[in-house]
Amino acid sequence: MPSKVERWKDEAYGMEVRDHLLRFAEEGWDAIPEDEHDAWFERFKWWGLYHQRKGQESYFMMRIGTPMGRMTPEQLRTVGEVANEYATGPVDNPEFGEAYADFTTRQSIQLHWIKVEDIADIWEELESVGLSTMQACGDSWRNIVGSPVAGRDADELIDVWPIVQELHETFKGNDLYANLPRKWKVAMTGDRRGSGQGDINDLAFEPATKEIDGEEVEGFNVNVGGGLSRKEPRFARDIDVFCRPENAADVAAGMSALFRDYGDREDRFNARIKFLMDEWGPEKMRSVLQEEYVDYELPTAGEGLRDEYDYNAGRSDSHGDYVGVHDQSDGQNFVGLYVTVGRMSAEDVIDLADMAQEYGSEMIGLTQRQNLIVGDIADEDLDDFLDEDLLDEHSPDPHPFMRGSIACTGTEYCSLSIVETKNRMVRYGRWLRDNVPLPEGVDDFHIHLSGCTASCAQPQIADISLRGMKTRKDGDAVEAFDIGLGGGLGENPTFADWVKMRVPADEVPGYIANLLEAFEEERDSPEQSFRDFVAERDEDELAGLADGEETSYEDPYLGNTKMTWYPYAEDTSMDASPAPTDGTGEPLPSDD
Amino acid sequence: MTTSVHQLDDGAWVSVNDSREVNVSDLWRLARHDFCRCRLADFLVEGFVEVAPDGADVEARVAGRCIQCGASGVTDWLTLGRVDPETDEFRPVVPESVHVPGRRSRLATPP
């Protein structure tokens, strides 16, 4: 029997939900029938709106999908303006202030505290510059990820930007693919870095070459079924298909139609294509694609470039990100800037967009490591650009502990999270920077902090993986983390080994300090990467390397932040919540 | 009145009659259970896998972990609370009190 969500989707889903949203925007929060809340909030996701957690009723997270994280300075400025005007809540965040934008690990933008009454005005502003919230969440084609500097990167095989634009145009707002069993995440990589992180996507196009009829053809190998959620991580598997760039839309259409028709619509926990891949295996996946969904003969896989991949690969010979100054193929430069856990104040977003425009940049990039790139900086302008005050905060050369930090949304807004994340990761990063010497030769160290098993911060593919948990300390329930080590992508993708469980959150910085001390003492040589060091050891050895420890680090969020209506409010109790509110932010009378 | 119950947002919470009532992240004490070997499991709720009404009761199978021994998995059916037949108001159980998971006598989904 189809799940309840499937029945709601059958009644209304996709494009048609827009008109309903516009009606609710006009009539206000109260116009959404109370006994239809669950159904409507599920449908709103298709238009990028996610109802915030308990205690924050009537407020939404809004996601804007930017294909490959690629934007113009004008678009970035508009995001900043929208954040300033509409994304302000009843209480400021102590680290990030009143209004801010979050850059996500799938190269999208998230704004919080959005009221349904403002949707029409926000869409008008966003759509006037070519931005959209369509299919940013929900069961359909999500934002396509890849390198934002495609076509500019001096280190690539194929410029995939025109292909990604074609896929985006083809599969956004397309009724044939609007209602899938679950989300559908696609990555396309054309560079030699592996920056699309295709291994953790449902469908991945990886750069490859193949000799066909005596001619070497550039294109993609096709992998299917990656994903990290629900303690069921999978790397996408090779289905032995080579795809020419001109066939990418056909193969993508075939694979997403296969998922639409064969994916599990009865059990949402079993719906992602990774589970169909578990059941079928790559051979059957290929044969069903060939026989039922593609009308030309699929070539077998070509020669990939995996041995060159260094993005988030934990290599000691190269940085695994885009931070810093890089050559463009046209002789100019792109500059990767660090953004603290992917969150930037609305004011800085606007200033950065203006600055990029002043320097003649035509491209802003959002990366999967929650950072931001400004493209097209001429050699003669580079020194001036690097001297800009804004780069003191958003540095092209941040401390490795700051540079490598990623965090998801956490209990601040998210229903699923077990623990507070972003503000805590900021505090971890600062404490580590100020108190822990980096082992010699380590200038890149990735710590990914995720609030729960949904794995939005991609915890399984980091040097240190932190996943939200609870434990008891002196009898009291406290927020904690399971700790994994040694994950990463690259030539041989590996998931972290979970070696230390339920470490109280205030003892995690001490654990990391102890661990790095052990690493420096025990590693083979200063050239050995942390990832290689971990790979050499079994689980017991890894567990014995270090223990959690209280230090001078103080954690203000150790209690149960999920019990609060907002963790940083003066009165955090659920009863103190002003939600739900009307369009002006005034509390609505309760039914009691 | 029929009670409408759903688990939503990847099992993050349970809705009773379109109102968010029970969340992940609480610790529940489980007794007389076969989830792990702890006499009294200290169970962290990480996700609601299945939810169904049983008369006035709302019950769920819950994914999570015992934070004493580290065992993880899915519980048998647990009572989350009860809908007051007079007022239709949902009255949740207190997670910190002791709960006994059990097999359901009725089907979760009517045939």
Side-chain angles (χ1 to χ4, degrees), chain A residues 38 45 52 182 470 472, chain B residues 9-10 15 20 25 42:
Chain A
D38 294 344
K45 291 176 186 173
Q52 289 181 190
R182 204 69 174 73
K470 284 280 180 65
R472 288 195 189 270
Chain B
D9 295 346
D10 291 344
S15 162
R20 286 195 274 202
S25 91
D42 204 356

Side-chain angles (χ1 to χ4, degrees), chain A residues 1 4-5 7-8 33-39 41-42 45 50-58 182-183 230-231 267-269 415-419 452-454 467-472 475 477-478 482 501-502 560 562-563 574, chain B residues 3-29 42-51 53 63-74 89 96 109-111:
Chain A
M1 179 185 283
K4 207 168 280 187
V5 171
R7 280 181 267 155
W8 293 332
E34 274 191 33
D35 60 352
E36 296 175 17
H37 273 188
D38 294 344
F41 298 155
E42 197 62 43
K45 291 176 186 173
Y50 216 106
H51 196 208
Q52 289 181 190
R53 73 166 171 88
K54 189 175 171 68
Q56 300 168 6
E57 286 76 11
S58 79
R182 204 69 174 73
K183 60 181 83 168
R230 285 191 52 234
K231 296 184 187 168
D267 178 2
R268 291 180 66 75
F269 291 117
S415 292
L416 204 50
S417 187
I418 309 285
V419 299
C452 71
T453 60
R467 187 170 64 196
M469 248 290 135
K470 284 280 180 65
T471 193
R472 288 195 189 270
V478 295
D482 286 346
M501 311 308 264
R502 304 183 297 287
N560 191 346
K562 199 58 173 288
M563 297 283 279
M574 282 287 176
Chain B
T3 303
S4 167
V5 295
H6 323 124
Q7 54 83 7
L8 287 168
D9 295 346
D10 291 344
W13 49 280
V14 170
S15 162
V16 181
N17 294 331
D18 276 74
S19 170
R20 286 195 274 202
E21 297 294 355
V22 193
N23 281 285
V24 295
S25 91
D26 282 332
L27 289 165
W28 291 55
R29 298 278 192 184
D42 204 356
F43 180 77
L44 173 69
V45 171
E46 293 187 283
F48 296 95
V49 175
E50 208 175 347
V51 59
R65 172 111 48 106
C66 172
I67 63 166
Q68 279 190 59
C69 69
S72 70
V74 178
E89 195 183 336
E96 296 80 17
T109 311

Side-chain angles (χ1 to χ4, degrees), chain A residues 195-265:
Chain A
S195 67
Q197 299 202 124
D199 297 316
I200 56 168
N201 282 264
D202 295 300
L203 172 62
F205 292 90
E206 302 285 351
T209 57
K210 185 173 174 73
E211 197 177 302
I212 299 176
D213 300 331
E215 187 193 343
E216 177 148 300
V217 180
E218 292 174 348
F220 309 95
N221 285 340
V222 179
N223 294 351
V224 175
L228 299 177
S229 62
R230 285 191 52 234
K231 296 184 187 168
E232 297 273 8
R234 305 279 189 281
F235 289 121
R237 294 172 73 180
D238 175 8
I239 62 165
D240 195 22
V241 167
F242 177 79
C243 173
R244 292 171 186 263
E246 58 270 31
N247 296 127
D250 297 333
V251 170
M255 273 312 309
S256 50
L258 181 157
F259 176 54
R260 177 194 63 207
D261 300 341
Y262 286 99
D264 187 345
R265 289 185 189 262

Side-chain angles (χ1 to χ4, degrees), chain A residues 260-522:
Chain A
R260 177 194 63 207
D261 300 341
Y262 286 99
D264 187 345
R265 289 185 189 262
E266 296 187 1
D267 178 2
R268 291 180 66 75
F269 291 117
N270 192 47
R272 293 287 294 276
I273 201 166
K274 64 185 176 183
F275 298 114
L276 189 63
M277 179 62 96
D278 285 353
E279 193 184 325
W280 283 7
E283 294 80 14
K284 180 171 176 184
M285 193 67 75
R286 185 189 203 284
S287 67
V288 175
L289 174 68
Q290 175 71 79
E291 286 160 24
E292 300 179 28
Y293 293 98
V294 178
D295 63 2
Y296 74 99
E297 191 172 342
L298 294 165
T300 56
E303 192 71 32
L305 309 176
R306 292 201 77 95
D307 57 341
E308 296 180 54
Y309 286 7
D310 60 7
Y311 195 84
N312 194 29
R315 282 165 52 159
S316 56
D317 61 347
S318 64
H319 277 299
D321 61 26
Y322 279 117
V323 175
V325 179
H326 301 261
D327 294 337
Q328 285 187 190
S329 49
D330 62 2
Q332 299 189 92
N333 307 276
F334 68 85
V335 184
L337 304 178
Y338 158 71
V339 182
T340 313
V341 295
R343 180 168 284 180
M344 188 181 280
S345 72
E347 207 172 287
D348 282 0
V349 171
I350 293 170
D351 289 349
L352 207 137
D354 288 346
M355 190 176 87
Q357 206 141 29
E358 281 163 25
Y359 279 86
S361 170
E362 293 179 1
M363 192 224 68
I364 299 292
L366 310 180
T367 78
Q368 293 190 53
R369 299 202 54 75
Q370 298 184 327
N371 293 317
L372 187 144
I373 296 168
V374 180
D376 311 328
I377 306 297
D379 279 346
E380 59 270 27
D381 295 334
L382 191 58
D383 287 343
D384 289 342
F385 182 82
L386 296 174
D387 277 344
E388 292 282 354
D389 291 345
L390 206 51
L391 272 61
D392 293 342
E393 170 74 18
H394 305 295
S395 169
D397 186 24
H399 189 281
F401 283 130
M402 313 301 280
R403 176 178 189 150
S405 299
I406 286 182
C408 69
T409 299
T411 52
E412 183 177 10
Y413 300 114
C414 176
S415 292
L416 204 50
S417 187
I418 309 285
V419 299
E420 205 283 338
T421 54
K422 279 201 190 283
N423 289 22
R424 178 174 275 140
M425 188 68 241
V426 171
R427 297 173 69 90
Y428 280 179
R430 284 189 199 133
W431 187 88
L432 291 168
R433 177 195 63 197
D434 297 342
N435 292 281
V436 179
L438 272 163
E440 189 191 337
V442 172
D443 50 12
D444 209 25
F445 196 74
H446 292 179
I447 304 174
H448 295 189
L449 187 155
S450 220
C452 71
T453 60
S455 304
C456 298
Q458 304 171 348
Q460 299 95 330
I461 51 168
D463 292 311
I464 293 189
S465 315
L466 303 176
R467 187 170 64 196
M469 248 290 135
K470 284 280 180 65
T471 193
R472 288 195 189 270
K473 188 162 176 162
D474 306 323
D476 294 329
V478 295
E479 298 194 354
F481 289 94
D482 286 346
I483 300 180
L485 303 178
L489 299 181
E491 183 177 6
N492 299 302
T494 319
F495 294 127
D497 273 334
W498 296 97
V499 301
K500 218 70 182 172
M501 311 308 264
R502 304 183 297 287
V503 178
D506 62 337
E507 298 179 21
V508 168
Y511 172 84
I512 296 173
N514 294 338
L515 176 74
L516 287 178
E517 203 178 312
F519 167 57
E520 184 148 43
E521 276 171 18
E522 295 184 27

